[in-house]
Amino acid sequence: CDPDLFEHAQKLRWNDAMTWILKATAYVSGEDKRLLVKSPANSFRIPRLSTLFPGAMFIRLVREPCAVFVSTLRLWQSMWERYALAAPLVHEVLIERILETRIALERRLQSALRTLPANRVATVRYEDLVADPCHTIELLYERLALGDPSPLLPKVSAYMARNPPSATHSAEDWRRLVQARWSEMFDEFGYARS
């Protein structure tokens, strides 16, 4: 949901709810912890979040667009199977919805991030994060002036040892469609079109 589309009173309620949720999460996490929120839906909310939390920094995690498409398709299919109260969308309609929503999200996100000071925004490639998480985190800390990441790095290494990245599903069946519809994402993030 995009709170900027709400009536004024609803916007204020949304602001209060989001502020309460994030403050409660930060409180439970502990004073010395920095809150990291990973929620793709918040990509539509950058201007509002930036206003609510003026010191917030934003990290955009990008991934090869065909892999994003396949992952999103699988997510929606599993969500329909598990949680739907109505019949799932027709397959072609779901595909179109994914293609349209993602490009709208990327355009809105890029536009919002461009309004923020450069020292509050960083972009990370998923492939870099998976290939060398410690180095990628060091670069993030440097880019956003977050201090010394060295106390965190052994925890990251231990986590990655326990939780190796899962295998990705083939995107070859979708490559032509995704490259045609999301060409600007390939260009923006520097992914080759094979």
Side-chain angles (χ1 to χ4, degrees), residues 5-40:
L5 301 177
F6 295 169
E7 303 274 331
H8 182 70
Q10 291 175 308
K11 286 180 187 178
L12 294 177
R13 282 196 300 274
W14 189 93
N15 290 351
D16 290 345
M18 179 59 85
T19 301
W20 186 89
I21 289 167
L22 295 180
K23 284 184 175 182
T25 304
Y27 176 78
V28 169
S29 299
E31 265 184 50
D32 61 337
K33 306 287 188 206
R34 183 178 296 274
L35 188 59
L36 177 65
V37 180
K38 180 192 174 286
S39 176

Side-chain angles (χ1 to χ4, degrees), residues 140-157:
L140 265 176
Y141 267 64
E142 181 179 324
R143 168 87 173 109
L144 298 174
L146 296 174
D148 179 15
S150 58
L152 175 68
L153 301 181
K155 295 175 186 176
V156 170
S157 295

Side-chain angles (χ1 to χ4, degrees), residues 6-191:
F6 295 169
E7 303 274 331
H8 182 70
Q10 291 175 308
K11 286 180 187 178
L12 294 177
R13 282 196 300 274
W14 189 93
N15 290 351
D16 290 345
M18 179 59 85
T19 301
W20 186 89
I21 289 167
L22 295 180
K23 284 184 175 182
T25 304
Y27 176 78
V28 169
S29 299
E31 265 184 50
D32 61 337
K33 306 287 188 206
R34 183 178 296 274
L35 188 59
L36 177 65
V37 180
K38 180 192 174 286
S39 176
N42 283 334
S43 299
F44 286 106
R45 304 172 182 143
I46 299 298
R48 181 155 300 277
L49 292 171
S50 178
T51 300
L52 290 174
F53 306 100
M57 296 175 192
F58 298 89
I59 301 168
R60 174 173 58 174
L61 183 65
V62 299
R63 188 175 184 184
E64 196 278 330
C66 293
V68 169
F69 177 83
V70 170
S71 176
T72 305
L73 180 60
R74 289 176 52 81
L75 170 70
W76 278 102
Q77 289 169 331
S78 68
M79 295 282 283
W80 277 109
E81 289 173 15
R82 188 170 294 161
Y83 302 113
L85 299 176
L89 293 175
V90 175
H91 191 67
E92 292 76 19
V93 173
L94 176 59
I95 290 167
E96 188 62 27
R97 180 94 31 99
I98 292 168
L99 291 167
E100 289 175 357
T101 302
R102 185 60 188 215
I103 202 69
L105 179 145
E106 286 300 333
R107 288 174 180 161
R108 177 107 182 244
L109 179 59
Q110 288 175 30
S111 175
L113 293 177
R114 287 185 181 117
T115 68
L116 298 173
N119 65 346
R120 290 182 49 207
V121 178
T123 298
V124 174
R125 288 172 60 117
Y126 171 83
E127 296 81 4
D128 296 339
L129 182 61
V130 169
D132 193 347
C134 289
H135 180 67
T136 304
I137 289 170
E138 287 174 328
L139 293 175
L140 265 176
Y141 267 64
E142 181 179 324
R143 168 87 173 109
L144 298 174
L146 296 174
D148 179 15
S150 58
L152 175 68
L153 301 181
K155 295 175 186 176
V156 170
S157 295
Y159 176 86
M160 293 304 292
R162 290 189 315 273
N163 302 284
S166 57
T168 58
H169 298 278
S170 174
E172 289 310 310
D173 293 344
W174 302 103
R175 187 161 299 283
R176 184 172 291 149
L177 174 67
V178 173
Q179 287 177 341
R181 296 289 296 277
W182 290 354
S183 61
E184 64 193 73
M185 288 167 53
F186 283 88
D187 296 341
E188 174 79 15
F189 307 140
Y191 288 101

